[in-house]
Amino acid sequence: MRIAVVGARTWFANHYPEGWQHDPDVLCLDVFEGDYSWLMVLRNWRPDVTLFYRPELYPARYLDRVPGQRIAFLTEPLPAMR
């Protein structure tokens, strides 16, 4: 199973899978909400599962293009949405 993690390393590195640096089935992407170049890397890698930290920072049209299961971790409070 190929697992990808999308989130700013500064804030979420302690949540990356253990031993990810040496595991060919784990891809951790250090991302910035002003740059979406990580999307092509992620799509071409074709993960089975992708964990997104702070997915609300990225347009849904980009997140919808990621293959496999997508799991969101919201780390900030969000206002009620209607």
Side-chain angles (χ1 to χ4, degrees):
M1 178 179 291
R2 298 176 79 159
I3 300 171
V5 179
V6 177
R9 188 169 290 151
T10 301
W11 303 109
F12 302 110
N14 58 332
H15 300 291
Y16 287 1
E18 189 172 313
W20 68 270
Q21 299 96 329
H22 308 291
D23 190 334
D25 292 323
V26 177
L27 175 67
C28 293
L29 297 171
D30 185 17
V31 299
F32 168 69
E33 62 264 18
D35 176 18
Y36 302 115
S37 60
W38 56 269
L39 180 63
M40 281 305 234
V41 172
L42 187 59
R43 286 187 67 193
N44 290 335
W45 197 67
R46 304 203 52 79
D48 296 304
V49 174
T50 303
L51 308 175
F52 289 96
Y53 290 99
R54 300 283 319 267
E56 73 276 9
L57 298 176
Y58 311 105
R61 67 182 184 272
Y62 293 138
L63 300 181
D64 290 342
R65 296 178 183 170
V66 176
Q69 296 285 325
R70 297 179 303 265
I71 301 169
F73 288 96
L74 303 174
T75 60
E76 300 293 323
L78 296 175
M81 302 181 81
R82 296 180 186 193

